[in-house]
Amino acid sequence: MKKYHPSRVLTLVYQPFAIGTLLIMSYYESRINTRLRNLVGFTLFFASTFSVLILDLATSGKGGIGPYIGVCLLAACFGIADAHVEGGMVGDLCFMCPEFIQSYFAGLAASGALTSLLRILTKLAFEKSHNGLRKGAILFLAISTFIEFLCIFLYAIYFTKLPIVKYYREKAASEGSKTVSADLAAAGIKTMPNDQEAQDIKEQKRLGNQQLFLENLDYAADLFLIYVLTLSIFPGFLYEDTGSHQLGAWYSVVLIAMYNVMDLISRYIPLIKWLKLESRKGILIAVLLRFLLIPAFYFTAKYGAQGWMIFLTSFLGLTNGYLTVCVLTVAPKGYKGPEQNALGNLLVLFLLTGIFAGVSLDWLWIIGKTSF
């Protein structure tokens, strides 16, 4: 399967569907039922993860081009699910307190760290057994399917009824947001007809997507550039282009784990006020300076020891998580609820576009290689 470059191809397949779906949803954001949108996304995540498990069991893990195409199709489904959930949740949380955005993106990083932990545990448990890699993958997919199933119920029942969430959604509704109506109804709060008329008037007064984009062009560029750089290195380059080292088969596993752990830790750093970067120019300068990591990774892969590569990978994760949280917690400040929701969707759109551009550029690392 390695000749098909799955670590690169699957991410490349995933992103166009995520971006296309989110582009449509960002345009119609003010008219979309956010509750239904998120539930559809979580359900699609669950169904797609379960389908990967079924595909493996149905083919007895034999591989080949047929199952590979099937996995690619499911990767596209994951992209559609991501556009539903990430855009919907970020838009929803943008009109709440900044700590919610930080917690959500810390949760995304925690999922990466958990994935690495499960990968390490399954590799330890099944490394010496027959078909060990497949057994580890089946266990991982089973756990992931259960977690996705749990997410559906946590969002549908628990999250909606949290007092602080109800407070911010009522506040957003009073500022003209229509996207929260279904969530308020699910929490037992009904919008009266007079309130609906007032919302319509306030909705007309909100800033349009174009104006929001122009006012936050630097933040959109920040997120795009952060993920262009990160995904041009992670995970494809780290899996395939870092050479052979003493850690052997564990080398790429350790690199991915270090990235995910540092990405998670860094997303909590902005909670310390004096460590949080809030200057628009400061954030942009920090984002641009990260591009020095490209020659650093190139020369380290060619001439450096594995310790230096682990250090660079950790630094990549550290800066990725830190700058992401800084941008997304600062950008929505000063806007009304409906505008914050729209801005959240726009910023996630540029984040995903950056991922797609980074994944595409990642192929440049293998141009000229005989394995290409």
Side-chain angles (χ1 to χ4, degrees):
M1 286 291 284
K2 195 171 181 179
K3 66 180 180 179
Y4 298 129
H5 305 290
S7 61
R8 289 183 162 99
V9 170
L10 293 179
T11 316
L12 194 60
V13 170
Y14 176 103
Q15 287 306 320
F17 288 90
I19 293 169
T21 304
L22 189 55
L23 194 61
I24 295 168
M25 292 195 159
S26 295
Y27 185 79
Y28 294 104
E29 159 274 326
S30 62
R31 285 171 272 177
I32 291 175
N33 180 332
T34 301
R35 178 177 175 80
L36 180 62
R37 171 183 177 173
N38 287 333
L39 286 173
V40 167
F42 282 125
T43 304
L44 188 55
F45 265 129
F46 163 73
S48 300
T49 309
F50 186 62
S51 296
V52 175
L53 183 60
I54 295 300
L55 179 64
D56 178 81
L57 294 173
T59 58
S60 302
K62 291 179 181 178
I65 191 65
Y68 184 63
I69 292 172
V71 171
C72 286
L73 291 174
L74 289 172
C77 292
F78 281 118
I80 296 169
D82 186 27
H84 277 76
V85 173
E86 190 167 357
M89 287 301 299
V90 171
D92 218 12
L93 295 174
C94 272
F95 56 71
M96 301 182 194
C97 50
E99 289 78 10
F100 283 13
I101 287 284
Q102 180 277 326
S103 296
Y104 177 76
F105 276 91
L108 288 180
S111 68
L114 179 60
T115 299
S116 290
L117 177 62
L118 288 173
R119 177 71 186 98
I120 290 169
L121 292 176
T122 52
K123 187 172 176 62
L124 285 170
F126 300 111
E127 186 175 24
K128 295 181 180 179
S129 66
H130 176 66
N131 248 349
L133 182 61
R134 179 173 176 247
K135 289 175 183 176
I138 289 172
L139 179 60
F140 170 78
L141 288 169
I143 294 170
S144 299
T145 301
F146 172 74
I147 291 172
E148 294 295 349
F149 186 69
L150 198 60
C151 284
I152 299 171
F153 287 93
L154 286 174
Y155 179 80
I157 299 168
Y158 180 71
F159 182 73
T160 300
K161 295 181 180 178
L162 289 173
I164 193 167
V165 171
K166 288 195 285 186
Y167 165 77
Y168 278 112
R169 281 177 171 161
E170 284 186 277
K171 182 174 180 288
S174 71
E175 293 173 341
S177 178
K178 296 179 182 178
T179 60
V180 296
S181 299
D183 284 302
L184 289 173
I189 302 169
K190 293 187 178 179
T191 306
M192 302 302 290
N194 290 339
D195 295 337
Q196 190 63 47
E197 289 177 15
Q199 284 180 13
D200 292 339
I201 295 170
K202 290 174 181 176
E203 178 68 22
Q204 291 170 5
K205 293 180 180 178
R206 59 154 274 189
L207 296 176
N209 285 352
Q210 185 177 358
Q211 192 171 349
L212 283 170
F213 168 68
L214 292 174
E215 288 184 6
N216 294 276
L217 184 59
D218 56 332
Y219 288 132
D222 289 337
L223 287 172
F224 177 81
L225 293 173
I226 288 168
Y227 284 87
V228 162
L229 175 70
T230 300
L231 271 294
S232 66
I233 297 169
F234 174 90
F237 173 78
L238 298 182
Y239 265 119
E240 297 185 26
D241 304 298
T242 51
S244 301
H245 296 273
Q246 292 175 349
L247 287 170
W250 280 94
Y251 187 52
S252 61
V253 176
V254 170
L255 289 177
I256 301 300
M258 288 305 300
Y259 170 88
N260 284 324
V261 169
M262 296 309 294
D263 186 40
L264 171 60
I265 292 170
S266 67
R267 296 184 187 218
Y268 286 94
I269 294 175
L271 290 177
I272 304 169
K273 194 170 182 180
W274 62 275
L275 289 176
K276 185 178 180 181
L277 188 59
E278 296 188 279
S279 163
R280 297 176 85 136
K281 285 185 179 179
I283 292 173
L284 184 58
I285 290 169
V287 168
L288 293 175
L289 285 174
R290 287 182 84 232
F291 280 84
L292 293 172
L293 287 170
I294 292 177
F297 269 99
Y298 175 78
F299 287 110
T300 303
K302 203 165 186 178
Y303 306 110
Q306 63 185 22
W308 284 108
M309 184 60 77
I310 292 170
F311 169 76
L312 279 179
T313 304
S314 301
F315 187 73
L316 180 72
L318 187 74
T319 53
N320 181 82
Y322 173 75
L323 290 170
T324 298
V325 170
C326 285
V327 172
L328 286 163
T329 53
V330 171
K333 289 181 178 179
Y335 292 104
K336 295 186 296 183
E339 294 164 347
Q340 290 171 322
N341 189 13
L343 180 58
N345 276 272
L346 287 172
L347 291 176
V348 171
L349 177 61
F350 276 86
L351 185 155
L352 291 179
T353 306
I355 291 175
F356 179 59
V359 170
S360 301
L361 292 171
D362 183 48
W363 286 86
L364 295 176
W365 293 104
I366 59 173
I367 288 177
K369 291 192 173 185
T370 55
S371 60
F372 183 81

